[in-house]
Amino acid sequence: MSAPGPDGVTLDPAGLAHAALLAGMHAVCFADPWSAASFAQVLAMPGTLGLVAVDGGSLTPALAPPGPAGMVVWRRMFDEAEILTIAELPPRIKG
């Protein structure tokens, strides 16, 4: 877990245990969301990492803080990296 920023958001590592949470967040943000099984499969691949933006220290989904605010999953291979998916939950989008 990172130290909270001025807005109280931390960046926490996302692993296989977060697959259902990531899938739920993805379903809110995308018309064709990834399933929990898809997230688990992707996160199990070598070089794949993820972060969850957590507002207020709680991973319990909510329409307002505290709760997850966004996420990113990427894959790194050799000297390249690729963002596989990124999302910010609509209640957290400002301006």
Side-chain angles (χ1 to χ4, degrees), residues 7-65:
D7 56 1
V9 175
T10 61
L11 296 176
D12 297 349
L16 293 175
H18 299 99
L21 173 66
L22 296 174
M25 294 169 70
H26 211 255
V28 170
C29 297
F30 294 95
D32 189 18
W34 295 4
S35 66
S38 294
F39 271 102
Q41 184 178 19
V42 167
L43 289 167
M45 292 190 300
T48 302
L49 301 167
L51 291 172
V52 178
V54 181
D55 192 350
S58 174
L59 283 176
T60 303
L63 294 176

Side-chain angles (χ1 to χ4, degrees), residues 2 16 22 66 83 89:
S2 66
L16 293 175
L22 296 174
I83 293 175
L89 292 178

Side-chain angles (χ1 to χ4, degrees), residues 41-95:
Q41 184 178 19
V42 167
L43 289 167
M45 292 190 300
T48 302
L49 301 167
L51 291 172
V52 178
V54 181
D55 192 350
S58 174
L59 283 176
T60 303
L63 294 176
M71 56 90 168
V72 61
V73 176
W74 71 94
R75 180 175 46 215
R76 175 181 75 185
M77 295 194 83
F78 306 109
D79 63 344
E80 295 184 9
E82 169 187 24
I83 293 175
L84 301 175
T85 191
I86 188 169
E88 182 177 16
L89 292 178
R92 307 304 203 268
I93 298 172
K94 296 177 175 95

